[in-house]
Structure formats: structure tokens, C-alpha cells
Amino acid sequence: MTTPTRIPPSELPAVLRGYLTAHEARDVDAALRVFTPTAVVVDDGTTYRGREEIRRFLSRAGAGYRYTTELVAAQRVDDTHWVATNRLEGDFPGGVVELGYRFALEGDLVAELVIAP
């Protein structure tokens, strides 16, 4: 990988913009469609492997909290690695957090997503 380059969020690949929109809308089926069958998602120290585990993650992510999401930054690392930074504000502990969504693509699908501050 190379040094990340800041880009306008509108320049993220369409599949990533689609995922971010679906995830924010809590549209589990639309969000799940962007992943490869063997994709891996890591969030809050838990790893989800394959579409069924990722479906469970998507169904539960943020449940119990009300919050807004704003895409505040984006980076291109290389042709297959991208980072989208979302700012969440809501009634969860701390109230505000910026999370990096680190994506690895395989073709036109997401093979890996790591979410971390």
C-alpha cells in the first residue's frame, strides 16, 4: 500500500458510496449486496466472516442508539484500498465519534471492512 491521498467523498468508488448510504439508512439487504461471499468485517473488536455473519452485524450495528452520520473525509490508499471517515453524533456514550471505514475491494465488491476510530 502507499500513502493515502485525500479525495472528495464523491470520488469514492460507487460501491462504497452505495454501502455508506445503505448502512446509514439501515437497509441491510442493500448494504449486504456490496460484500463478497467471503468478506470480513471488523467492528468494535469483533470479526464477522461471510455474508450471514455480516448480515447479523448490519442488523445490530448502532441498534439502541439514535445518531446522525456525516461523511466528513475520504482517502484513496491505492486501487483497492479506500478510507471513508464518518462523524457520528448521538445518544451513545461520548456523544460524538469519527470512525474510519477502511475498505479493501475485490473487483467491484468489498472483501474487507475495518471500522475504527
Side-chain angles (χ1 to χ4, degrees), residues 9 17-18 21 44 52 55 74 78 82 106 109:
R17 292 191 320 268
T21 298
D44 200 26
E52 286 312 306
R55 177 184 292 282
D78 58 30
W82 304 79
E106 187 176 292
L109 295 175

Side-chain angles (χ1 to χ4, degrees), residues 74-94:
Q75 298 175 324
R76 178 186 181 275
V77 179
D78 58 30
D79 289 341
T80 59
H81 295 89
W82 304 79
V83 180
T85 303
N86 276 323
R87 179 181 174 90
L88 281 65
E89 293 188 45
D91 61 1
F92 53 85

Side-chain angles (χ1 to χ4, degrees), residues 101-112:
Y101 288 62
R102 292 162 180 82
F103 294 95
L105 296 180
E106 187 176 292
D108 290 334
L109 295 175
V110 175
E112 181 179 69

Side-chain angles (χ1 to χ4, degrees), residues 16-32 34:
L16 303 184
R17 292 191 320 268
Y19 167 78
L20 293 168
T21 298
H23 186 61
E24 181 179 354
R26 298 181 190 236
D27 184 341
V28 172
D29 291 330
L32 189 61
V34 308

Side-chain angles (χ1 to χ4, degrees), residues 4-116:
T5 302
R6 292 183 74 84
I7 61 170
S10 61
E11 290 183 18
L12 286 167
V15 67
L16 303 184
R17 292 191 320 268
Y19 167 78
L20 293 168
T21 298
H23 186 61
E24 181 179 354
R26 298 181 190 236
D27 184 341
V28 172
D29 291 330
L32 189 61
R33 281 193 290 272
V34 308
F35 290 97
T36 66
T38 59
V40 174
V41 173
V42 179
D43 181 47
D44 200 26
T46 302
T47 301
Y48 305 87
R49 298 180 188 282
R51 286 191 173 144
E52 286 312 306
E53 288 186 12
I54 293 171
R55 177 184 292 282
R56 236 181 5 260
F57 156 73
L58 292 169
S59 297
R60 297 176 183 164
Y65 298 110
R66 291 179 312 172
Y67 57 91
T68 60
T69 303
E70 179 185 6
L71 181 58
V72 295
Q75 298 175 324
R76 178 186 181 275
V77 179
D78 58 30
D79 289 341
T80 59
H81 295 89
W82 304 79
V83 180
T85 303
N86 276 323
R87 179 181 174 90
L88 281 65
E89 293 188 45
D91 61 1
F92 53 85
V96 178
V97 66
E98 285 193 3
L99 296 175
Y101 288 62
R102 292 162 180 82
F103 294 95
L105 296 180
E106 187 176 292
D108 290 334
L109 295 175
V110 175
E112 181 179 69
L113 168 59
V114 177
I115 303 169

